[in-house]
Amino acid sequence: EAQVTQNPRYLITVTGKKLTVTCSQNMNHEYMSWYRQDPGLGLRQIYYSMNVEVTDKGDVPEGYKVSRKEKRNFPLILESPSPNQTSLYFCASSLRTSGNRGETQYFGPGTRLLVL
Amino acid sequence: AQSVTQPDIHITVSEGASLELRCNYSYGATPYLFWYVQSPGQGLQLLLKYFSGDTLVQGIKGFEAEFKRSQSSFNLRKPSVHWSDAAEYFCAVTLIYNQGGKLIFGQGTELSVKP
């Protein structure tokens, strides 16, 4: 089954404790992206990757890191989490960027993070 | 600034009634337009999208949307709502040749369905 998977689905942590949220897709997509969803704000892009070893900042990258060493995986790293990073995080992928013929982005199930 | 607006934060309709969710965008040119649905505890699922051609777009689950360039709108409609349609709905846009590939989302509209 074609899908985007994220782990963990739920995570409670404390300020400053490094964490990684994994994202994997099995559709051989070039493009992957991370969003965070906050009430009243919709989803906002954190980082994106056009292909292996090609990553760039989205609208809200502060406090986050990413890497794209393999085509299928795009982990989101919080080196020193803070309470304002408490949010619902979504990973998404598409064959190419959405700006290319309106490619559909497929979303993972989300990771709910609470930073105390 | 470029933006997407969903004016209604929360809408309640009776089962079997018709539904229209509003979406307006602010861009200099016609973007690609999407509607996603998020059921409780789930990720986002694409309902439909528009990027050219017929301005009335059919999607999954009986939804349709109409692009109106003059009004910069892309409203989502369904003629008869089912209880399972209760969810949050997001309108999103992306720009042609957007190398960042990001979707720009509206704030979302939460739909409740009364029996």
Side-chain angles (χ1 to χ4, degrees), chain A residues 89-110:
Chain A
Y89 292 87
F90 288 101
C91 181
S93 74
S94 61
L95 189 58
R96 290 174 292 271
T97 67
S98 291
N100 187 332
R101 300 183 184 179
E103 286 284 349
T104 298
Q105 288 194 23
Y106 297 87
F107 284 79

Side-chain angles (χ1 to χ4, degrees), chain A residues 1-3 16 29 31 34 37 49 64 75 78-79 87 101 104-105 107-109 114-115:
Chain A
E1 179 189 357
Q3 60 182 347
H29 284 171
Y31 179 87
W34 277 102
Q37 181 183 5
S49 170
Y64 304 96
L78 284 72
E79 295 269 3
S87 188
R101 300 183 184 179
T104 298
Q105 288 194 23
F107 284 79
L114 172 61
V115 183

Side-chain angles (χ1 to χ4, degrees), chain B residues 58-77:
Chain B
Q58 301 298 320
I60 63 171
K61 304 185 180 188
F63 286 91
E64 66 178 25
E66 185 172 14
F67 168 59
K68 292 186 177 180
R69 187 189 306 273
S70 61
Q71 298 177 17
S72 296
S73 69
F74 189 54
N75 293 349
L76 182 71
R77 301 194 294 247

Side-chain angles (χ1 to χ4, degrees), chain A residues 31 37 50 59 102 104-105, chain B residues 36 38 49 99-103:
Chain A
Y31 179 87
Q37 181 183 5
M50 305 280 280
D59 292 327
T104 298
Q105 288 194 23
Chain B
Y36 281 87
Q38 183 182 21
K49 65 181 181 181
Q99 294 304 306
K102 69 181 175 185
L103 290 168

